[in-house]
Amino acid sequence: MTSSLLNQPLLVLTNVPQQALADAMARQLVEQGLAACVNILPPVASIYRWQGQVEQASEIPLLIKTTQARYQELEQAILQAHPYEVPEIVALPLAAGLPAYLAWMQHETARPLQA
């Protein structure tokens, strides 16, 4: 993958069932350099089909700002911390943004992972 593709800024979305998990996951991702920033949104009602049944749950959405270079590690960190069998993990490429903000995102996620 070329350097410019690795630097591609991403917005990653996931939902978690509890506020404490949202707080802990957001802090972990930022501390490890996998995310520049995580926005924790207010709880939302999610309605979805799971194993043939229509379900409804209250979930806390996380908006995770990262880069393509960190995506695989970020995905693994979410999977390890997440209680769902199949959590929502969706990455959207950012087509544009304030150059200074995008540079900050790249800088914050370019560091080697901390132990």
Side-chain angles (χ1 to χ4, degrees):
M1 193 172 285
T2 66
S3 177
S4 63
L5 287 178
L6 289 175
N7 293 332
Q8 169 71 46
L10 300 176
L11 176 63
V12 178
L13 311 173
T14 194
N15 293 304
V16 296
Q18 299 100 10
Q19 186 68 49
L21 178 58
D23 295 342
M25 187 181 294
R27 181 165 294 280
Q28 174 192 1
L29 296 175
V30 171
E31 286 177 349
Q32 291 180 345
L34 299 175
C37 174
V38 179
N39 298 119
I40 302 170
L41 301 180
V44 298
S46 296
I47 299 173
Y48 54 92
R49 183 177 301 278
W50 179 247
Q51 297 180 344
Q53 300 293 320
V54 175
E55 304 283 343
Q56 182 167 348
S58 178
E59 298 180 302
I60 295 124
L62 301 179
L63 305 180
I64 304 163
K65 281 63 133 255
T66 192
T67 58
Q68 184 66 49
R70 287 292 193 223
Y71 177 77
Q72 290 301 322
E73 295 159 293
L74 173 74
E75 182 181 275
Q76 286 306 307
I78 292 171
L79 286 171
Q80 288 177 359
H82 213 291
Y84 292 173
E85 182 180 338
V86 181
E88 174 186 6
I89 305 173
V90 179
L92 306 170
L94 300 180
L98 180 68
Y101 185 83
L102 298 179
W104 171 78
M105 282 177 56
Q106 185 178 33
H107 172 76
E108 290 301 313
T109 58
R111 295 185 298 218
L113 289 178
Q114 299 173 6

mmCIF file of all heavy atoms in Angstrom, residues 66-89:
data_model
loop_
_atom_site.group_PDB
_atom_site.id
_atom_site.type_symbol
_atom_site.label_atom_id
_atom_site.label_comp_id
_atom_site.label_asym_id
_atom_site.label_seq_id
_atom_site.Cartn_x
_atom_site.Cartn_y
_atom_site.Cartn_z
ATOM 1 N N THR A 66 -9.091 8.106 12.610
ATOM 2 C CA THR A 66 -7.830 7.394 12.474
ATOM 3 C C THR A 66 -7.346 7.495 11.032
ATOM 4 O O THR A 66 -7.865 8.297 10.264
ATOM 5 C CB THR A 66 -7.994 5.915 12.918
ATOM 6 O OG1 THR A 66 -6.711 5.312 13.050
ATOM 7 C CG2 THR A 66 -8.859 5.126 11.964
ATOM 8 N N THR A 67 -6.359 6.676 10.696
ATOM 9 C CA THR A 67 -5.864 6.610 9.320
ATOM 10 C C THR A 67 -5.870 5.158 8.860
ATOM 11 O O THR A 67 -5.920 4.227 9.672
ATOM 12 C CB THR A 67 -4.427 7.158 9.204
ATOM 13 O OG1 THR A 67 -3.579 6.405 10.077
ATOM 14 C CG2 THR A 67 -4.357 8.638 9.551
ATOM 15 N N GLN A 68 -5.785 4.988 7.561
ATOM 16 C CA GLN A 68 -5.749 3.646 6.981
ATOM 17 C C GLN A 68 -4.578 2.837 7.557
ATOM 18 O O GLN A 68 -4.693 1.636 7.771
ATOM 19 C CB GLN A 68 -5.628 3.732 5.456
ATOM 20 C CG GLN A 68 -5.679 2.400 4.753
ATOM 21 C CD GLN A 68 -7.029 1.724 4.895
ATOM 22 O OE1 GLN A 68 -8.062 2.338 4.676
ATOM 23 N NE2 GLN A 68 -7.028 0.463 5.274
ATOM 24 N N ALA A 69 -3.473 3.498 7.839
ATOM 25 C CA ALA A 69 -2.299 2.806 8.375
ATOM 26 C C ALA A 69 -2.588 2.119 9.705
ATOM 27 O O ALA A 69 -1.980 1.099 10.037
ATOM 28 C CB ALA A 69 -1.142 3.794 8.539
ATOM 29 N N ARG A 70 -3.511 2.640 10.484
ATOM 30 C CA ARG A 70 -3.826 2.081 11.801
ATOM 31 C C ARG A 70 -5.097 1.236 11.817
ATOM 32 O O ARG A 70 -5.458 0.684 12.855
ATOM 33 C CB ARG A 70 -3.976 3.220 12.811
ATOM 34 C CG ARG A 70 -2.683 3.862 13.196
ATOM 35 C CD ARG A 70 -1.863 2.892 14.000
ATOM 36 N NE ARG A 70 -0.766 3.571 14.645
ATOM 37 C CZ ARG A 70 0.451 3.092 14.695
ATOM 38 N NH1 ARG A 70 0.728 1.942 14.138
ATOM 39 N NH2 ARG A 70 1.392 3.751 15.301
ATOM 40 N N TYR A 71 -5.776 1.148 10.657
ATOM 41 C CA TYR A 71 -7.089 0.507 10.667
ATOM 42 C C TYR A 71 -7.056 -0.939 11.179
ATOM 43 O O TYR A 71 -7.880 -1.320 12.022
ATOM 44 C CB TYR A 71 -7.766 0.551 9.293
ATOM 45 C CG TYR A 71 -9.069 -0.195 9.367
ATOM 46 C CD1 TYR A 71 -10.180 0.398 9.958
ATOM 47 C CD2 TYR A 71 -9.163 -1.519 8.947
ATOM 48 C CE1 TYR A 71 -11.364 -0.300 10.106
ATOM 49 C CE2 TYR A 71 -10.346 -2.224 9.101
ATOM 50 C CZ TYR A 71 -11.439 -1.611 9.671
ATOM 51 O OH TYR A 71 -12.600 -2.319 9.848
ATOM 52 N N GLN A 72 -6.174 -1.771 10.684
ATOM 53 C CA GLN A 72 -6.177 -3.188 11.090
ATOM 54 C C GLN A 72 -5.958 -3.351 12.589
ATOM 55 O O GLN A 72 -6.643 -4.157 13.239
ATOM 56 C CB GLN A 72 -5.127 -3.974 10.292
ATOM 57 C CG GLN A 72 -5.477 -4.154 8.836
ATOM 58 C CD GLN A 72 -6.798 -4.879 8.625
ATOM 59 O OE1 GLN A 72 -7.152 -5.818 9.339
ATOM 60 N NE2 GLN A 72 -7.557 -4.432 7.644
ATOM 61 N N GLU A 73 -5.018 -2.576 13.139
ATOM 62 C CA GLU A 73 -4.767 -2.650 14.588
ATOM 63 C C GLU A 73 -5.976 -2.132 15.371
ATOM 64 O O GLU A 73 -6.330 -2.686 16.415
ATOM 65 C CB GLU A 73 -3.528 -1.840 14.945
ATOM 66 C CG GLU A 73 -2.252 -2.415 14.342
ATOM 67 C CD GLU A 73 -1.162 -1.365 14.271
ATOM 68 O OE1 GLU A 73 -1.307 -0.400 13.494
ATOM 69 O OE2 GLU A 73 -0.180 -1.518 15.022
ATOM 70 N N LEU A 74 -6.600 -1.068 14.858
ATOM 71 C CA LEU A 74 -7.794 -0.512 15.490
ATOM 72 C C LEU A 74 -8.921 -1.534 15.496
ATOM 73 O O LEU A 74 -9.569 -1.763 16.526
ATOM 74 C CB LEU A 74 -8.226 0.758 14.746
ATOM 75 C CG LEU A 74 -9.549 1.371 15.180
ATOM 76 C CD1 LEU A 74 -9.395 2.072 16.514
ATOM 77 C CD2 LEU A 74 -10.056 2.335 14.132
ATOM 78 N N GLU A 75 -9.145 -2.168 14.359
ATOM 79 C CA GLU A 75 -10.186 -3.190 14.267
ATOM 80 C C GLU A 75 -9.946 -4.305 15.282
ATOM 81 O O GLU A 75 -10.877 -4.748 15.968
ATOM 82 C CB GLU A 75 -10.231 -3.763 12.856
ATOM 83 C CG GLU A 75 -11.324 -4.801 12.660
ATOM 84 C CD GLU A 75 -11.322 -5.363 11.253
ATOM 85 O OE1 GLU A 75 -11.936 -4.744 10.365
ATOM 86 O OE2 GLU A 75 -10.690 -6.432 11.064
ATOM 87 N N GLN A 76 -8.712 -4.764 15.389
ATOM 88 C CA GLN A 76 -8.395 -5.827 16.348
ATOM 89 C C GLN A 76 -8.633 -5.374 17.787
ATOM 90 O O GLN A 76 -9.142 -6.146 18.610
ATOM 91 C CB GLN A 76 -6.955 -6.305 16.160
ATOM 92 C CG GLN A 76 -6.769 -7.146 14.916
ATOM 93 C CD GLN A 76 -7.734 -8.316 14.857
ATOM 94 O OE1 GLN A 76 -7.841 -9.112 15.781
ATOM 95 N NE2 GLN A 76 -8.467 -8.417 13.758
ATOM 96 N N ALA A 77 -8.275 -4.133 18.103
ATOM 97 C CA ALA A 77 -8.485 -3.604 19.459
ATOM 98 C C ALA A 77 -9.977 -3.530 19.779
ATOM 99 O O ALA A 77 -10.399 -3.862 20.897
ATOM 100 C CB ALA A 77 -7.827 -2.239 19.595
ATOM 101 N N ILE A 78 -10.782 -3.102 18.814
ATOM 102 C CA ILE A 78 -12.233 -3.053 19.029
ATOM 103 C C ILE A 78 -12.768 -4.463 19.242
ATOM 104 O O ILE A 78 -13.543 -4.714 20.180
ATOM 105 C CB ILE A 78 -12.946 -2.366 17.842
ATOM 106 C CG1 ILE A 78 -12.579 -0.876 17.788
ATOM 107 C CG2 ILE A 78 -14.467 -2.534 17.961
ATOM 108 C CD1 ILE A 78 -13.054 -0.166 16.526
ATOM 109 N N LEU A 79 -12.366 -5.403 18.393
ATOM 110 C CA LEU A 79 -12.841 -6.786 18.525
ATOM 111 C C LEU A 79 -12.480 -7.379 19.886
ATOM 112 O O LEU A 79 -13.286 -8.101 20.488
ATOM 113 C CB LEU A 79 -12.267 -7.653 17.402
ATOM 114 C CG LEU A 79 -12.884 -7.453 16.025
ATOM 115 C CD1 LEU A 79 -12.076 -8.213 14.972
ATOM 116 C CD2 LEU A 79 -14.342 -7.874 16.005
ATOM 117 N N GLN A 80 -11.292 -7.087 20.387
ATOM 118 C CA GLN A 80 -10.862 -7.633 21.678
ATOM 119 C C GLN A 80 -11.669 -7.058 22.835
ATOM 120 O O GLN A 80 -11.942 -7.751 23.810
ATOM 121 C CB GLN A 80 -9.373 -7.370 21.898
ATOM 122 C CG GLN A 80 -8.494 -8.224 21.029
ATOM 123 C CD GLN A 80 -7.013 -7.910 21.193
ATOM 124 O OE1 GLN A 80 -6.633 -7.024 21.949
ATOM 125 N NE2 GLN A 80 -6.187 -8.640 20.476
ATOM 126 N N ALA A 81 -12.051 -5.775 22.744
ATOM 127 C CA ALA A 81 -12.750 -5.118 23.839
ATOM 128 C C ALA A 81 -14.267 -5.255 23.759
ATOM 129 O O ALA A 81 -14.957 -5.043 24.753
ATOM 130 C CB ALA A 81 -12.376 -3.632 23.865
ATOM 131 N N HIS A 82 -14.788 -5.603 22.597
ATOM 132 C CA HIS A 82 -16.225 -5.549 22.346
ATOM 133 C C HIS A 82 -16.932 -6.817 22.808
ATOM 134 O O HIS A 82 -16.473 -7.917 22.539
ATOM 135 C CB HIS A 82 -16.474 -5.347 20.849
ATOM 136 C CG HIS A 82 -17.694 -4.551 20.570
ATOM 137 N ND1 HIS A 82 -18.959 -5.030 20.812
ATOM 138 C CD2 HIS A 82 -17.850 -3.297 20.088
ATOM 139 C CE1 HIS A 82 -19.837 -4.108 20.477
ATOM 140 N NE2 HIS A 82 -19.189 -3.042 20.040
ATOM 141 N N PRO A 83 -18.083 -6.683 23.465
ATOM 142 C CA PRO A 83 -18.797 -7.880 23.930
ATOM 143 C C PRO A 83 -19.666 -8.554 22.866
ATOM 144 O O PRO A 83 -20.087 -9.688 23.062
ATOM 145 C CB PRO A 83 -19.686 -7.330 25.056
ATOM 146 C CG PRO A 83 -19.961 -5.919 24.659
ATOM 147 C CD PRO A 83 -18.685 -5.450 23.974
ATOM 148 N N TYR A 84 -19.936 -7.872 21.748
ATOM 149 C CA TYR A 84 -20.812 -8.453 20.722
ATOM 150 C C TYR A 84 -20.082 -9.522 19.922
ATOM 151 O O TYR A 84 -18.895 -9.385 19.632
ATOM 152 C CB TYR A 84 -21.305 -7.386 19.748
ATOM 153 C CG TYR A 84 -22.249 -6.346 20.301
ATOM 154 C CD1 TYR A 84 -22.614 -5.265 19.517
ATOM 155 C CD2 TYR A 84 -22.767 -6.417 21.581
ATOM 156 C CE1 TYR A 84 -23.477 -4.285 19.989
ATOM 157 C CE2 TYR A 84 -23.625 -5.456 22.061
ATOM 158 C CZ TYR A 84 -23.986 -4.395 21.269
ATOM 159 O OH TYR A 84 -24.835 -3.429 21.734
ATOM 160 N N GLU A 85 -20.817 -10.522 19.502
ATOM 161 C CA GLU A 85 -20.267 -11.573 18.641
ATOM 162 C C GLU A 85 -19.814 -10.979 17.305
ATOM 163 O O GLU A 85 -18.758 -11.323 16.783
ATOM 164 C CB GLU A 85 -21.330 -12.650 18.417
ATOM 165 C CG GLU A 85 -20.866 -13.814 17.596
ATOM 166 C CD GLU A 85 -21.969 -14.841 17.401
ATOM 167 O OE1 GLU A 85 -22.931 -14.888 18.201
ATOM 168 O OE2 GLU A 85 -21.865 -15.617 16.425
ATOM 169 N N VAL A 86 -20.630 -10.085 16.745
ATOM 170 C CA VAL A 86 -20.315 -9.419 15.482
ATOM 171 C C VAL A 86 -20.584 -7.922 15.661
ATOM 172 O O VAL A 86 -21.687 -7.446 15.376
ATOM 173 C CB VAL A 86 -21.159 -9.978 14.308
ATOM 174 C CG1 VAL A 86 -20.783 -9.275 13.007
ATOM 175 C CG2 VAL A 86 -20.979 -11.476 14.176
ATOM 176 N N PRO A 87 -19.595 -7.183 16.165
ATOM 177 C CA PRO A 87 -19.823 -5.751 16.362
ATOM 178 C C PRO A 87 -19.809 -4.984 15.045
ATOM 179 O O PRO A 87 -19.166 -5.402 14.076
ATOM 180 C CB PRO A 87 -18.639 -5.318 17.233
ATOM 181 C CG PRO A 87 -17.567 -6.297 16.922
ATOM 182 C CD PRO A 87 -18.272 -7.596 16.611
ATOM 183 N N GLU A 88 -20.549 -3.881 15.039
ATOM 184 C CA GLU A 88 -20.464 -2.977 13.895
ATOM 185 C C GLU A 88 -19.102 -2.301 13.925
ATOM 186 O O GLU A 88 -18.733 -1.668 14.908
ATOM 187 C CB GLU A 88 -21.553 -1.903 13.980
ATOM 188 C CG GLU A 88 -21.428 -0.854 12.904
ATOM 189 C CD GLU A 88 -22.407 0.291 13.066
ATOM 190 O OE1 GLU A 88 -23.120 0.354 14.082
ATOM 191 O OE2 GLU A 88 -22.450 1.130 12.160
ATOM 192 N N ILE A 89 -18.343 -2.471 12.863
ATOM 193 C CA ILE A 89 -17.087 -1.743 12.660
ATOM 194 C C ILE A 89 -17.106 -1.344 11.190
ATOM 195 O O ILE A 89 -16.950 -2.192 10.314
ATOM 196 C CB ILE A 89 -15.838 -2.584 12.973
ATOM 197 C CG1 ILE A 89 -15.894 -3.145 14.395
ATOM 198 C CG2 ILE A 89 -14.575 -1.746 12.761
ATOM 199 C CD1 ILE A 89 -14.767 -4.119 14.726
#
